[in-house]
């Protein structure tokens, strides 16, 4: 009995694995053609000053409309793009698109809106990342301080020496640096200091159950304290309720991003918002 049960389990797992492998391969093939087919777009999520609600920037978030298969969320296809290296050309496209967009808004007189672009470890450790950023800034004309690169703790910790060198080169260019999903990965304060960051983004998992969850409340207060001590700005991700907003304000968090303020918006809607409200650097 044990033997046949074992065999069935084995069969079950292989069938399951085959399906996963096939789905992944299919996703990979679709993803290879996504850019050429104009299936990729960038949405922009407003970032605001918690006191007063002023717009201070936006985060560029990749969207993929895969033809008949519809929208595929980043959490499903980014890992595939990372494993296959496709994140490198796609990442270049996002960077270029987001910087060109921010510059177009400036030139239309809509203000100096900083745009934050996510970068994976694969991109950061790919030889020409700094050169790619420099080229995109030169080609689009966007002032370097209006670009921020978001990196996670695990990205910084994989090959920390090489990451530190890359970040130093990005600082020389004048680009802003943020640590994304802060609190979910492993990092030491000594490392944080070494990386010349500008901003900590508190992961949404700590914000979600505020203010009721005492552990999350303590963690959030602690992260705000760390940011203060290191002289960094601090932004809360995933702010959805007025009660969360209030808690963050009371505990010294400067900035927020989340559905309470706005969902990620297609470029046209972001532009309409800019026309309606203006930005920090705007007229
Ligand atoms: P992230 O960089 O932490 O981005 C924030 C995610 O939280 C976004 O999900 C955003 O839509 C979502 N979000 C924002 N406010 C709220 C809120 O109030 N409530 C909830 N429940 N969610 C909120 P999205 O766009 O699905 O992206 C997921 C992840 O995929 C990103 O997390 C990032 O790690 C990755 N990603 C997205 N675009 C890119 C990209 O262009 N390049 C790279 N390398 N990764 C990307
Ligand atoms: Mg991010
Ligand atoms: Mg995040
Ligand atoms: Mg994330």
């Amino acid at each position: 009995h044990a033997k046949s049960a074992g065999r069935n389990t084995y069969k079950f797992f292989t069938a399951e694995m085959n399906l996963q492998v096939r789905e992944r391969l299919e996703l990979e093939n679709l993803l290879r053609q996504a850019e050429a087919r104009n299936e990729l777009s960038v949405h922009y999520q407003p970032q605001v000053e918690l006191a007063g609600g002023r717009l201070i920037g936006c985060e560029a978030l990749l969207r993929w409309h895969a033809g008949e298969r519809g929208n595929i969320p980043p959490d499903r296809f980014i890992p595939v793009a990372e494993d296959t290296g496709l994140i490198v050309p796609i990442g270049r496209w996002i960077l270029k698109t987001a910087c060109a967009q921010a510059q177009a808004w400036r030139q239309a007189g809509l203000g100096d809106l900083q745009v934050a672009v996510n970068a994976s470890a694969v991109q950061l450790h790919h030889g020409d990342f700094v050169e790619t950023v420099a080229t995109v800034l030169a080609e689009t004309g966007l002032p370097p301080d209006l670009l921020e690169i978001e990196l996670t703790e695990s990205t910084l910790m994989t090959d920390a020496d090489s990451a530190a060198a890359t970040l130093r080169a990005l600082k020389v260019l004048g680009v802003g640096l943020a640590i994304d999903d802060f609190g979910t990965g492993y990092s030491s304060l000594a490392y944080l200091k070494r990386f010349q960051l500008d901003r900590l983004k508190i992961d949404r998992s700590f914000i979600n159950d505020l203010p009721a969850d005492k552990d999350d409340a303590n963690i959030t207060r602690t992260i705000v304290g760390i940011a203060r001590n290191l002289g960094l700005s601090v932004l809360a991700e995933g702010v959805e309720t007025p009660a969360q907003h209030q808690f963050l304000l009371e505990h010294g968090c400067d900035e927020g991003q989340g559905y309470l303020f706005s969902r990620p918006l297609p470029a046209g809607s972001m532009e309409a918002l800019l026309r309606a409200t203006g930005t920090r650097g705007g007229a």
Side-chain angles (χ1 to χ4, degrees), residues 59-61 116-119 150-152 180-181 201 237 257:
E59 178 175 4
L61 293 160
V117 176
N118 295 281
E150 292 192 6
L151 303 154
T152 63
D180 202 359
D181 305 343
K201 298 187 73 179
E237 299 191 87
Q257 181 181 338

Side-chain angles (χ1 to χ4, degrees), residues 85-101:
L86 282 168
I87 194 69
V88 172
I90 292 175
R92 234 181 256 137
W93 179 86
I94 300 157
L95 200 59
K96 176 100 193 250
T97 304
C99 290
Q101 184 61 78

Side-chain angles (χ1 to χ4, degrees), residues 2 24 164 167 188 191:
R24 247 185 119 83
L167 264 57
S188 74
Y191 269 109

